[in-house]
Amino acid sequence: MRPRSSGPTSTRRPAIRRDAGGLTSIAPTWESLTERLIREALKRGDFDGLPSYGRTLVLDDDPREGDMGLAFHLLRNARVPPPWIAADMAVRSALDERDRLLTEACNASRTSIPGPVARMRLRDRLERIMADHDDAV
C-alpha cells in the first residue's frame, strides 16, 4: 500500500480496529493503535506466561530472508516448516509410500498370483496415496 501524501488536499483518516467481540479502537495512526494495544496487553499480563518472556530475541541474520527474517526465525524456533516446505515434505512422503506399495505389489506377484480382492485392495491404497499426493501438490 502506498503512503498517503500529506498535502493540503489529502485528509488523514484515523486507524479503526474492530476486534472479535465487536469493540472498536480508534487512534491517529496504526502505529499508535498497535503500541496502545501492546501496552494494554502488557498491563493485563497477557505476555507473562510466554517462553522467553523478558529476554531479547536472538535473530539469525540471513540476508536471503529479507523482510521475512523474523517470521522465519519464529517458525524455526517453533519447529514449524514454512507452508511450501511442508507441502514438499507431504509430496515426497506420498511418493515414498507409492514406491513402497509398488515394491510390495511386485514382491507379492512374484511369489503368487494375487487374486482380484488383493489387486482391488492394492489399487484402492494406490488411489488414496495419489489423492494425498494431489492434495499436497
Side-chain angles (χ1 to χ4, degrees), residues 117-136:
V117 174
R119 282 195 302 265
M120 193 166 48
R121 278 195 208 125
L122 289 171
R123 185 178 300 121
D124 288 344
R125 283 177 53 196
L126 181 60
E127 286 175 359
R128 270 187 268 124
I129 291 168
M130 295 317 297
D132 291 344
H133 172 270
D134 292 346
D135 289 344

Side-chain angles (χ1 to χ4, degrees), residues 29-106:
T29 64
W30 280 111
E31 183 176 343
S32 61
L33 175 62
T34 305
E35 289 173 353
R36 188 178 79 217
L37 291 171
I38 291 171
R39 192 173 45 255
E40 290 171 359
L42 279 170
K43 285 181 186 174
R44 286 191 309 267
D46 291 350
F47 301 128
D48 290 348
L50 297 175
S52 305
Y53 177 76
R55 291 183 283 169
T56 57
L57 290 176
V58 178
L59 298 178
D60 311 328
D61 288 336
D62 189 345
R64 296 169 293 177
E65 293 175 346
D67 295 341
M68 297 297 292
L70 179 60
F72 291 145
H73 174 77
L74 293 173
L75 287 172
R76 271 193 305 273
N77 283 350
R79 293 192 172 104
V80 175
W84 62 90
I85 301 279
D88 180 65
M89 291 166 52
V91 167
R92 291 174 190 265
S93 174
L95 293 176
D96 289 344
E97 193 174 347
R98 178 207 59 192
D99 292 344
R100 282 192 299 275
L101 178 66
L102 293 175
T103 302
E104 178 185 328
C106 287

Side-chain angles (χ1 to χ4, degrees), residues 11-22:
T11 57
R12 290 193 80 160
R13 297 187 333 223
I16 300 172
R17 175 188 178 270
R18 289 182 183 82
D19 66 7

